[in-house]
Amino acid sequence: MTSVADSLVLLRTAIVNVLMSGPPGAGDRGWVLVDTGLPGSADAIVDAAARRFGHGARPSGIVLTHGHFDHVGTVEALAERWDAPVYAHPLEHPYLTGRSAYPPPDPTVGGGAMSALSFLYPKKPVDLGGRVRALPDDGTVPGMPGWRWIWTPGHSPGHVSLWREADRAVVAGDAFVTTKQESALSVLVQRAAVHGPPSYFTPDWPAARRSVQRLAALRPEAAATGHGPVMRGDDLRRGLARLVKEFDRRAVPSHGRYVGAPAVTDAGGVVSVPPPDPRERVAVGIVAAAGGAAVAKALGGRALRRVTGR
C-alpha cells in the first residue's frame, strides 16, 4: 500500500486503484473503502484491510467515485461480506441497481490496446439493491471527517471526486488519471504523468473538461486517481494546468462516437447515445479476428485477462 495523505492509503489491484481511509488500527467500522477494483480482487482488498485496520475490521461504508466495471468489480461481494452501505451520487444509481448499462465504450479512441479491447469489457450493471445510498446533499462524505465530495461528471454521469481542504488532498477517480490508461504499456510501466479520463469510457467531453478545470483550480498537493501512481506538489499542479490548457488536444479524441455529441442520460440511466463512428466496426472486427483473448494475453498478460474475463 502507498500512503497518499494522513489516514489515506492506496492499494493497486491489477490495473486499477482502491483507497482506504482511516488511521492504522482503526478497528471494526472505523474506516472507509473508496472503490472496489476489478472482479477477483476481493481477497486482496480484505487482506490489506486486515493488515491496516485489524483482523475482521469492517468498513463503516463503501464510497464509489463511479460505477464502471473496474471500480465496482468486487462491490457486491464486499458489501455483502461486510454488511456495509454503498454511497454514490444519485446519477450513478441506475448503474448500481441494475436499471441501466452505461453508454457503450468506443474502442476507436485513445490509440492503445486498452482502448481496442474495451468492447470486451463487462457491460452489465451491478445490482446492489437497497445497499445503495445517496451521498449527503451537504457535501460531506460518510465516515470520512474533513472530506467533501465534488460532482465531476463527464467520464460518467454521477462521477465524484473527494477533497480534503486541510491538506489539499484529492481522490479524483477517473476525472483525470496519472497514467495513459489507453495504452497497455503505460499501464504496466506506471510512469507518472497527468492525463485526461480514459477516453474509451468517456461519453461527455464538455462535462469532462469542466470537471478537470474544477479540480485543477483547487491546486491540490496530493492526488490519488483511479489509474496510475500518486502524484504530488508542483509536478501535479503543473500537469493539471497543462491538461486544462491543452485539454482538446491532449484528452479529447480527434474522432469517435462521443466527440461530436455526448451521450444523454438522466436519473433513470441512459436516454440516448450517438451512432458509432464508422471506424468502430472495423476496429472491433480487427481485434475480434485476432482473437480478443489472445490479444489480451499477448498485450497485458494476467491483468488484461482479468479485465476481459477471457
Side-chain angles (χ1 to χ4, degrees), residues 86 104 247:
V86 179
F247 191 84

Side-chain angles (χ1 to χ4, degrees), residues 33-122:
L33 178 68
V34 181
D35 290 341
T36 70
L38 290 167
S41 57
D43 288 345
I45 294 171
V46 170
D47 289 347
R51 291 194 301 272
R52 180 167 177 83
F53 304 114
H55 180 73
R58 300 167 296 174
S60 61
I62 298 170
V63 174
L64 297 177
T65 61
H66 62 300
H68 284 158
F69 79 97
D70 52 338
H71 292 256
V72 300
T74 65
V75 68
E76 292 172 285
L78 291 178
E80 177 70 24
R81 178 172 185 163
W82 285 328
D83 189 25
V86 179
Y87 296 94
H89 191 283
L91 289 177
E92 287 298 288
H93 289 195
Y95 318 104
L96 301 173
T97 56
R99 284 184 286 164
S100 177
Y102 281 108
D106 185 347
T108 71
V109 298
M114 300 297 290
S115 289
L117 291 166
S118 63
F119 74 97
L120 293 171
Y121 300 163

Side-chain angles (χ1 to χ4, degrees), residues 4 8 19-21 32-35 62-66 87-89 135-136 139-144 146-152 158-165 167-176 215 218 220 222-225:
V4 180
L8 182 70
L19 284 298
M20 297 179 184
S21 175
V32 171
L33 178 68
V34 181
D35 290 341
I62 298 170
V63 174
L64 297 177
T65 61
H66 62 300
Y87 296 94
H89 191 283
L135 286 163
T140 58
V141 183
M144 295 177 64
W147 289 88
R148 300 186 66 82
W149 63 267
I150 302 170
W151 185 40
T152 49
H159 189 289
V160 298
S161 301
L162 309 181
W163 168 250
R164 187 166 60 185
E165 176 68 31
D167 56 2
R168 310 186 71 77
V170 65
V171 176
D174 286 359
F176 71 88
L215 294 176
L218 296 173
T225 65

Side-chain angles (χ1 to χ4, degrees), residues 215-239:
L215 294 176
L218 296 173
R219 295 186 56 78
E221 179 61 31
T225 65
H227 306 275
V230 175
M231 288 189 67
R232 306 180 189 278
D234 289 341
D235 285 346
L236 169 62
R237 289 185 287 271
R238 281 194 296 264

